[in-house]
Amino acid sequence: MKKQWILPFIVLMLFTMIASACGNGASSGASDNGKQETTATEGTSSEAANTSDTITYQSETGPVEIPAKPQRIVALTNGPNILSMDVTPVGVDKWTAENPLFKDKLKDVAIVSDEDPESVSALNPDLIIAGSHMKNLEQLSKIAPTIIYTWGKLDYLQQQLEIGKVLNKESEAQAWIDDFTKRAGEIGNEIKAKYGDKVTVSTIEIADKEVFAMGDHWARGTEALYQAMKLNMPEKVKNDTLKDGYHSLSLEVLPEYMGDFIVLSRDMTRDNEIMKSGIWSKIPAVQNKQVIELDTKAVTYSDPITLDYVLNIFKEGFLGTGK
């Protein structure tokens, strides 16, 4: 009797052991497969992370693949816009480097030129920003991804927003735009409340024996005065600067272009013959001491640093309430 059930029992035990072993093997295999799938997923995530290290920037010349967070920017143009976002380029043009508003920030930054692509290449840039008027653009684009802007194609606010996109700081750029527009608008309203809604302002630049009247987008604080503060320019200035953005004047016709106030851009390190002339001294704004002077070297850009600088000067010059 015992023999009759012992053998089936042994067979059952053997079957159970084999089944158990197979089960463990299958479980182990599933575990290994799971590890392989996890590793593959991690690999995909890593690749996605690598891919996300670049973005496609829609430039005026078409899409450009650029670093999501560029570290070594050569700014042949728009250096001041980049500086205003607390990013320091590794190379800039000489005009930016020599500007008194940026000298300290750029004291260790190389000066480069579109005419010397080798100087750009030596800096090992991961991004180049250049102007459409510049030379060797094709050669520059072979050194690193190159974004090209046409001066004046974007207004000063749009330009800052585009630089914000390039630097992955679009929200910061927009925050400055909103804040500056509000502050400048309020100052403009105060000026009109004090002098009347029809008060006029002429922006001129004296360079040696030449005089130029500026339109509403030719730096020298014009974007702040006419666009943000919404002050009026004399009709003659408006009409004659409409095409080129500025207009060359002879000394004889200078009084015809002068408003109630004059914003004067000049070299502050030396006297000027025009300002010593009888014609200049008889201009009502000069006689009324309503001339606000700017250092030309410091006001040839329309970036946030420059615009905040001139806005403070205007606040003091018009209202006597600068910080």
Side-chain angles (χ1 to χ4, degrees), residues 29 39 60 79 89 92 96 111 139 144-145 164 179 199 205 211 216 262 276 281 295 310:
T39 302
E60 67 178 63
V92 295
T96 301
I111 297 176
Q139 191 172 346
D179 178 62
V199 63
E205 182 163 300
V211 185
D216 68 354
I262 299 171
K276 294 178 180 179
S281 64
D295 180 358
V310 296

Side-chain angles (χ1 to χ4, degrees), residues 51-59 62-68 147 162 165-166:
T51 302
S52 68
D53 287 343
T54 64
I55 62 171
T56 301
Y57 176 74
Q58 299 298 333
S59 76
V64 182
E65 198 76 12
I66 66 171
I147 294 172
E162 289 304 308
K165 292 176 183 178
V166 169

Side-chain angles (χ1 to χ4, degrees), residues 36-98:
Q36 290 171 1
E37 288 172 4
T38 301
T39 302
T41 301
E42 290 172 352
T44 302
S45 298
S46 177
E47 289 170 6
N50 289 336
T51 302
S52 68
D53 287 343
T54 64
I55 62 171
T56 301
Y57 176 74
Q58 299 298 333
S59 76
E60 67 178 63
T61 58
V64 182
E65 198 76 12
I66 66 171
K69 293 184 178 180
Q71 301 297 311
R72 298 186 61 79
I73 303 172
V74 167
L76 295 170
T77 186
N78 295 105
N81 298 87
I82 295 168
L83 283 172
S84 74
M85 303 293 289
D86 293 323
V87 175
T88 303
V90 295
V92 295
D93 61 283
K94 68 176 183 177
W95 296 277
T96 301
E98 293 172 358

Side-chain angles (χ1 to χ4, degrees), residues 194-219:
K194 183 173 182 178
Y195 300 103
D197 288 342
K198 295 183 178 180
V199 63
T200 56
V201 184
S202 298
T203 303
I204 67 169
E205 182 163 300
I206 295 178
D208 296 324
K209 296 182 180 181
E210 294 182 293
V211 185
F212 301 91
M214 305 297 176
D216 68 354
H217 60 279
W218 207 257

Side-chain angles (χ1 to χ4, degrees), residues 57 59-67 74 76-77 120 125-132 134-149 166:
Y57 176 74
S59 76
E60 67 178 63
T61 58
V64 182
E65 198 76 12
I66 66 171
V74 167
L76 295 170
T77 186
V120 175
D126 58 4
L127 179 66
I128 299 169
I129 298 179
S132 60
M134 292 181 174
K135 299 177 181 178
N136 301 307
L137 293 177
E138 185 175 349
Q139 191 172 346
L140 290 170
S141 67
K142 293 177 181 178
I143 296 171
T146 301
I147 294 172
I148 296 169
Y149 292 114
V166 169

